[in-house]
Amino acid sequence: MLGVTYAGESAAQATSEAAEAYPKHVLLFLADGLGYEHLRAASYYAYGVDDGLFMQSLPYGSSIATHSADEAITDSAAAGTAISTGYKVNNGVLAQAIPGDTHELPTILEYYQQHCWGTALVTNTSITHATPAAFGAHEFSRANFVEIAHDYLYQTKPNILLGGGASGMTVNDAVAAGYLVATNRTGLEVLSPIAHIKLSGQFGNNHMDFEYDYMTGQSTMYDTMPHLTEMVEQTLRLLDNDVYEGTFVMIEGGRIDHAGHLNSLSKLIEEVLAFDESIQIAYEWAQNKDDVLIVVTSDHETGNLMVLENNGVGQYPTHAWGTTNHTAEDVPVFGWGVNAHLIVDVRDNTDVYDVLRAGQPAPPPFCWLDEANYLPVAVSP
């Protein structure tokens, strides 16, 4: 897919035609641990072909290198930071200049907050896990969960934080910082779009359960906790109002990585399919708009998955795993919408940052979305 456009136009033509364009809604989908073979396995299982996933139908695509500043094989903190800031850092570091003078690296979320945009971090891992933390925290170690939560609540202050609970994030801390708190699907669903929402969704006491475990009855959370698709749908609904100048949302399919570490193809495929459905939900939401950019990518490959034979729809493909760890393989990036044509030229994960902010005017001297206008604190059911 490297360097190919799928919309019948060259990148040069698209660049000329859209030179003045910039999106007002930037949706970044980050599939933790996803590689090309993961896509193939899920597509074989669900559709019987190697390119049946919705994300594979997006009109622009490329492939990116993922190495960190100090290792050929990255972790999620360093890879997330490369995407969120445009800078390479050492493994384990979250949006700080390490190597370097350790200063905080402004993230794409903070960049769009300066533009008076509503912002959100959505994941099915714990909310303080490495990937969302790379967008909303500045820490020398991804293991600083309490400090990461504090950075969210008192420094970067995204409008919406949805993911697994605990791991440094508590209901009391979020309420004290002025956030509404939802702890289950009902608490999330009852919310209506309101101006200046501050919402912390804390679902369970760690990572959210695998989709496969929901489907097979191995999870007790099926009827009480939202799925990634539901969190994405609700986030877009809550932020879709005229109060904000725009919207930035990072959505992580974080349990793809965990399935890769387990070498569990059944768990991995269901996570990839749920992630893919989330992208389609966002795409459908964007159809009545002309100012949306959707970018889909991965931070690294996990498991060195090798798909050996397509066994048809509903059958797991014959496959082999090479490791239970991350690898240095390049990973895919796909895009649709305003400035998505720029994706054909990306080669490194730091290039994704440039696509996410391409064409934007300078931020205003101040943002009028001050905290005095936020909704009073309450705890949802």
Side-chain angles (χ1 to χ4, degrees):
M1 299 186 63
L2 184 62
V4 177
T5 66
Y6 301 98
E9 63 182 348
S10 70
Q13 289 173 322
T15 301
S16 174
E17 293 170 2
E20 301 301 321
Y22 57 90
K24 287 294 188 73
H25 304 278
V26 175
L27 310 180
L28 171 63
F29 287 83
L30 227 171
D32 198 320
L34 181 78
Y36 284 102
E37 293 293 271
H38 302 71
L39 293 175
R40 202 148 69 101
S43 184
Y44 280 162
Y45 179 82
Y47 305 104
V49 296
D50 63 5
D51 60 352
L53 297 176
F54 179 79
M55 71 181 90
Q56 294 172 297
S57 73
L58 297 180
Y60 301 99
S62 188
S63 183
I64 55 174
T66 65
H67 62 278
S68 66
D70 62 341
E71 297 285 347
I73 298 177
T74 191
D75 80 327
S76 295
T81 295
I83 294 168
S84 73
T85 71
Y87 288 91
K88 296 281 188 182
V89 298
N90 291 348
N91 281 355
V93 175
L94 298 167
Q96 286 191 337
I98 303 174
D101 62 6
T102 75
H103 75 272
E104 295 184 351
L105 299 170
T107 71
I108 191 70
L109 181 144
E110 292 172 297
Y111 174 79
Y112 280 124
Q113 284 177 329
Q114 293 176 352
H115 285 73
C116 306
W117 285 26
T119 59
L121 299 175
V122 179
T123 181
N124 55 4
T125 68
S126 62
I127 191 60
T128 55
H129 209 52
T131 298
F135 290 79
H138 301 275
E139 297 294 332
F140 69 88
S141 172
R142 59 181 287 175
N144 291 354
F145 298 123
V146 172
E147 291 83 359
I148 290 166
H150 189 273
D151 286 354
Y152 288 163
L153 299 177
Y154 292 100
Q155 181 177 0
T156 59
K157 295 180 277 194
N159 294 87
I160 295 176
L161 295 161
L162 299 183
S167 298
M169 179 68 79
T170 71
V171 170
N172 288 341
D173 287 346
V175 170
Y179 278 76
L180 286 160
V181 177
T183 58
N184 53 42
R185 176 187 283 122
T186 301
L188 183 62
E189 288 179 344
V190 298
L191 297 172
S192 300
I194 49 177
H196 311 292
I197 189 169
K198 291 176 71 178
L199 169 64
S200 174
Q202 301 179 32
F203 307 116
N205 295 312
N206 199 333
H207 307 310
M208 301 177 73
D209 286 350
F210 284 109
E211 290 291 330
Y212 180 83
D213 292 344
Y214 287 140
M215 295 172 57
T216 57
Q218 299 178 56
S219 169
T220 61
M221 301 170 65
Y222 182 83
D223 293 326
T224 59
M225 299 300 172
H227 296 255
L228 184 65
T229 52
E230 295 166 325
M231 291 191 289
V232 169
E233 189 171 31
Q234 184 71 331
T235 295
L236 295 176
R237 190 173 72 88
L238 292 174
L239 290 180
D240 192 9
N241 61 63
D242 294 333
V243 172
Y244 307 107
E245 297 297 320
T247 305
F248 173 79
V249 183
M250 192 288 296
I251 301 105
E252 182 198 20
R255 304 236 63 191
I256 297 170
D257 174 63
H258 297 163
H261 283 299
L262 293 172
N263 285 178
S264 172
L265 190 70
S266 57
K267 286 181 168 60
L268 183 141
I269 283 175
E270 297 304 333
E271 292 303 316
V272 173
L273 294 177
F275 181 76
D276 195 55
E277 184 181 352
S278 298
I279 300 165
Q280 189 164 4
I281 286 170
Y283 175 83
E284 292 169 356
W285 171 84
Q287 290 312 292
N288 63 346
K289 304 177 186 298
D290 59 4
D291 53 4
V292 180
L293 169 65
I294 296 175
V295 175
V296 182
T297 191
S298 169
D299 52 359
H300 55 73
E301 194 272 352
T302 301
N304 190 24
L305 177 63
M306 294 162 281
V307 178
L308 306 175
E309 186 176 357
N310 179 7
N311 295 319
V313 175
Q315 303 297 318
Y316 295 123
T318 306
H319 65 283
W321 297 93
T323 181
T324 58
N325 297 317
H326 301 173
T327 72
E329 294 180 12
D330 288 0
V331 297
V333 54
F334 307 101
W336 173 89
V338 181
N339 287 338
H341 62 276
L342 300 174
I343 285 172
V344 302
D345 294 322
V346 305
R347 297 295 180 270
D348 189 87
N349 54 8
T350 55
D351 298 333
V352 177
Y353 172 83
D354 296 327
V355 175
L356 295 176
R357 60 171 287 178
Q360 290 291 341
F366 66 93
C367 181
W368 55 269
L369 294 175
D370 61 79
E371 291 192 38
N373 293 318
Y374 280 119
L375 184 77
V377 174
V379 180
S380 61

